[in-house]
Amino acid sequence: MATKKSTKTTASSPEELRDLMWKAADKLRGSMNASDYMNFVLGLIFLKYVSDSFDERSEAITAEVREEGFEGDAFDEELAERLNDPDEFYGESVYFVPQQARWNYIADFAKTDSIGAVLDAAMRAIMEQNDRLRGALAEIYNKENVDQRRLAGLIDLFSNADFKGMREQTGRSSLDVLGEVYEYFLGKFASKQGQRGGEFYTPRSVVRTLVDILAPVNGKLYDPCCGSGGMFVQSERFVEAHGKNFKEEKGFEPALMVYGQELNDQTWRLARLNLAIHGIFGDLGDRWADTFSTDKHAGVNFDYVLANPPFNLKEWDRRSDDPRWSFGVPPARNANYAWLQHIWHKLNAGGTAAVVLANGSMSSNTGGENTIRQAMVEGGAVAAMLALPANLFHGTAIPVCVWILAKDKGAGVRGKNDRKGEVLFIDARNMGHMINRTERVFSDEDVAQIAGAWHSWRGTDSDLNTGEFEDVAGFCKSVSVEEIAAQDWALTPGRYVGSAEVEDDGEPLDIQIARLREQLLVQFAESERLAQVVKENLASLNLPEVPVENILNEGE
């Protein structure tokens, strides 16, 4: 008798795992709307994460009790007491997971009709046990539109993932792998939702560039429209890559404290889960709220601000007497300059901010924005302007810009170069490379070149500082306020950096023109040949002829 071939699919690397998980999860998409589907899958990843975290900490506690010399009944009693003490887990930044929410318990119900109800109960139990997670998880697994059979298959896939093997193979923890899976899924969801995906997800290329410019190591970091929290996650990586620990103790606080706010309730939940899955205990407020009408961090000032606000927001809570409008009242139908001034208002005396906005913000004259922009430049608020290329964002090809704001551009803690009365312009529109038909990314070298220009100009002690700053034609230039005034206060980098120098290849101009003329004639001939081939192919199809006048009439 022939042996039945196993159909079980396995993954031997983090990359294979995330691809496999995405394909499996994507099978559920047809039976629910996009927003439910996103919360549905990310909730499962989070549940797996907290359960694995709990299990790893439980193993560590068991080893600690054994090392302390407990044996027999004393060992069992001491171990039981510690395993049921939430503080034993909270002290290591691990969430305490009640029995009914642990993955092994849930997996036992995977093939039953009650798996949806079990998952909803698990989500509820975790939130009741952990105050930081209250309201962050959705109880949506027992709805009528959820295919319980496919849900069971997804639970099986998560259960069979060989995280231990990956940990041994890659030297990374299983929690790191799950964290990457979560980020990967966020990116995939953003791509699926097109332009709407930008509401909760800022592409990694953009975030990396902003983080490497600000270099947030110690202090308070704020994002007034934090989306799914990607700015915070990338900042954590920056801190770790530069020899620090995100949880480095300063009393009872991490080295870098993060604060955020988000208006959309579902996105606010995503952000809380994203921070939790990366071990970041940030303050995102007690609930979602509009930053303009209800500042959840009123009275708090920050060392760093990273933000990607909604572009050209037309409906926003505008009050003309708001004390945040230091440089002028923003127009009623566009919140770009409201975001800039809110962020400026939140910086402390030495604070720096990086804000992504639509390109129009650099030169708009609508609603008095030019007057506000002039006041910001004259008041020293604008430190640098960065033009980014098209296709960096999911679902839209529009290029964007970055405003770098600084409360103090003088020589000091933030840099040894006194840049009062100057603004740095960087034009990165021609940088990056396309990874598919619609998406552009920056390489490590691209990010280093952009951030390096800032650090050299400012004179920081960053390892990206390449030494004395020099203007580079077509890329960067330090410009005086007087020069900006002469350009009617427009802040478009292309106006200032000029064109890149073209290398002289030594070919005389008359010979070069003759060569190009000959090349053009050859291309014209090839174009005519291809047009004739197309006509012949169309003729061979015996298609009915349509009078030209009919085609013209249809187009009217």
Side-chain angles (χ1 to χ4, degrees), residues 283-473:
D283 183 353
L284 304 186
D286 56 350
R287 60 178 289 118
W288 57 92
D290 182 346
T291 301
F292 292 124
S293 62
T294 309
D295 182 359
K296 287 293 184 178
H297 305 292
V300 183
N301 293 102
F302 303 95
D303 300 280
Y304 314 96
V305 180
L306 287 164
N308 175 24
F311 295 169
N312 305 315
L313 184 65
K314 290 180 171 55
E315 301 295 333
W316 62 284
D317 188 22
R318 177 180 180 268
R319 297 188 300 275
S320 59
D321 60 348
D322 196 309
R324 288 175 286 190
W325 315 148
S326 304
F327 301 103
V329 181
R333 297 288 291 169
N334 195 317
N336 286 344
Y337 280 83
W339 286 113
L340 288 171
Q341 292 188 84
H342 168 76
I343 289 167
W344 168 259
H345 182 78
K346 300 297 286 186
L347 290 173
N348 63 24
T352 312
V355 188
V356 182
L357 283 177
N359 272 359
S361 65
M362 297 187 288
S363 56
S364 171
N365 295 326
T366 306
E369 288 182 332
N370 55 327
T371 304
I372 300 174
R373 187 167 58 250
Q374 175 181 344
M376 292 182 69
V377 174
E378 290 183 317
V382 182
M385 297 297 301
L386 166 62
L388 293 176
N391 297 110
L392 283 176
F393 282 78
H394 293 294
T396 177
I398 64 168
V400 299
C401 66
V402 178
W403 292 63
I404 309 296
L405 309 179
K407 274 290 179 77
D408 183 3
K409 293 193 290 184
V413 177
R414 298 297 186 190
K416 65 180 178 60
N417 296 334
D418 186 346
R419 294 298 182 179
K420 294 175 184 175
E422 298 177 66
V423 175
L424 172 64
F425 288 91
I426 304 174
D427 191 345
R429 289 177 297 171
N430 294 320
M431 298 179 70
H433 60 280
M434 302 296 290
I435 59 172
N436 54 44
R437 187 173 55 85
T438 61
E439 188 177 356
R440 181 184 297 271
V441 299
F442 283 149
S443 65
D444 291 346
E445 292 74 20
D446 292 330
V447 174
Q449 183 179 352
I450 295 168
W454 162 262
H455 289 290
S456 299
W457 181 78
R458 198 67 188 88
T460 71
D461 60 359
S462 168
D463 53 5
L464 294 175
N465 185 340
T466 57
E468 290 297 320
F469 173 81
E470 292 183 0
D471 293 339
V472 178

Side-chain angles (χ1 to χ4, degrees), residues 204-217 231 234-235 237-239 241-242 304 306 354 404 443-456 460 462-465:
R204 191 171 181 182
S205 279
V206 178
V207 180
R208 278 196 58 205
T209 303
L210 305 190
V211 170
D212 277 25
I213 287 173
L214 291 196
V217 176
M231 301 284 193
Q234 190 60 43
S235 297
R237 289 201 178 99
F238 181 90
V239 174
H242 288 75
Y304 314 96
L306 287 164
I404 309 296
S443 65
D444 291 346
E445 292 74 20
D446 292 330
V447 174
Q449 183 179 352
I450 295 168
W454 162 262
H455 289 290
S456 299
T460 71
S462 168
D463 53 5
L464 294 175
N465 185 340

Side-chain angles (χ1 to χ4, degrees), residues 20-42:
L20 182 63
M21 290 172 69
W22 172 258
K23 289 175 183 176
D26 207 33
K27 294 177 181 178
L28 287 161
R29 182 160 52 98
S31 61
M32 60 187 74
N33 65 52
S35 60
D36 278 350
Y37 168 58
M38 179 171 63
N39 290 317
F40 184 95
V41 175
L42 292 177

